[in-house]
């Protein structure tokens, strides 16, 4: 492939990774930070439960990235990215729309974050492999994209909260 094609592919892969990594999970957590009292009222949760959900999400990403990185070396990075993205979409929607009890919501959130971490590890590897001569730049852009996603997700989450409440955050992400 020509250098121009490889660069264009790397740019598309980077943008897809930035959007997905930053925005998907951050819509839920960013919105939670903006309207904690509403979540407590709407779901009947204790404030500590929201903190627990945040911790569970971090643990899921921790384990998922380690598992996903190793698994992607065996089955391929692109299949891991595609399957994990689909699974993430299902489980983040289930967190807000089909969780009648807190334990179920935490389980859905852990599953979402597990696959999100696996997807990120594979996406990071693919992105840096496409343009190895710009590996540092690509990694910096990816890290910047996470912060961009946090801000964007929080702004989107605030609008969705106003119109649909917390149950609208999953489908919006």
């Amino acid at each position: 492939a020509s250098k121009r094609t490889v660069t264009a592919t790397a740019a598309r892969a980077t943008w897809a990774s930035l959007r997905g990594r930053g925005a998907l999970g951050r819509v839920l957590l960013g919105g939670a930070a903006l309207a904690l009292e509403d979540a407590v009222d709407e779901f009947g949760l204790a404030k500590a439960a929201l903190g627990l959900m945040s911790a569970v999400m971090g643990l899921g990403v921790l384990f998922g990235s380690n598992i996903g990185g190793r698994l992607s070396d065996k089955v391929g990075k692109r299949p891991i990215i595609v399957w994990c993205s689909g699974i993430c979409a299902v489980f983040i929607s289930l967190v807000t729309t089909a969780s009648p009890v807190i334990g179920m919501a935490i389980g859905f959130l852990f599953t979402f974050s597990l696959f999100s971490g696996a997807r990120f590890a594979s996406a990071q590897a693919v992105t840096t492999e496409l343009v190895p001569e710009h590996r540092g730049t690509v990694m910096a852009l990816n890290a910047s994209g996470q912060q961009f996603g946090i801000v964007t997700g929080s702004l989107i989450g605030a609008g969705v909260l106003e119109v649909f409440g917390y149950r609208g955050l999953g489908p919006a992400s």
Side-chain angles (χ1 to χ4, degrees), residues 18-42:
L18 297 178
R19 282 186 318 197
R21 177 180 172 211
L24 186 60
R26 303 300 191 247
V27 169
L28 182 63
L29 289 180
L34 293 173
L36 184 60
E37 293 299 324
D38 291 340
V40 170
D41 294 341
E42 188 167 334

Side-chain angles (χ1 to χ4, degrees), residues 81-93 111-112 115-116:
I81 294 167
V82 170
W83 280 102
C84 287
S85 294
I87 292 168
C88 283
V90 169
F91 279 93
I92 197 65
S93 293
T111 305
F112 159 76
F115 284 94
S116 178

Side-chain angles (χ1 to χ4, degrees), residues 35-149:
L36 184 60
E37 293 299 324
D38 291 340
V40 170
D41 294 341
E42 188 167 334
F43 292 106
L45 298 174
K47 290 180 183 177
L50 290 175
L52 176 63
M53 291 173 82
S54 181
V56 163
M57 194 169 181
L59 285 173
V61 171
L62 174 73
F63 291 121
S65 60
N66 285 300
I67 294 167
R70 290 184 176 101
L71 190 59
S72 69
D73 289 336
K74 293 181 181 178
V75 299
K77 293 169 184 69
R78 286 178 180 86
I80 294 293
I81 294 167
V82 170
W83 280 102
C84 287
S85 294
I87 292 168
C88 283
V90 169
F91 279 93
I92 197 65
S93 293
L94 290 174
V95 168
T96 59
T97 59
S99 302
V101 295
I102 186 65
M104 206 175 211
I106 289 173
F108 289 152
L109 190 60
F110 180 77
T111 305
F112 159 76
S113 60
L114 187 73
F115 284 94
S116 178
R119 180 181 54 84
F120 171 71
S122 298
Q124 180 80 11
V126 165
T127 304
T128 57
E129 286 173 0
L130 289 172
V131 279
E133 66 274 7
H134 299 293
R135 184 182 196 118
T137 301
V138 169
M139 291 175 76
L141 286 170
N142 206 346
S144 299
Q146 181 181 14
Q147 303 311 312
F148 176 76

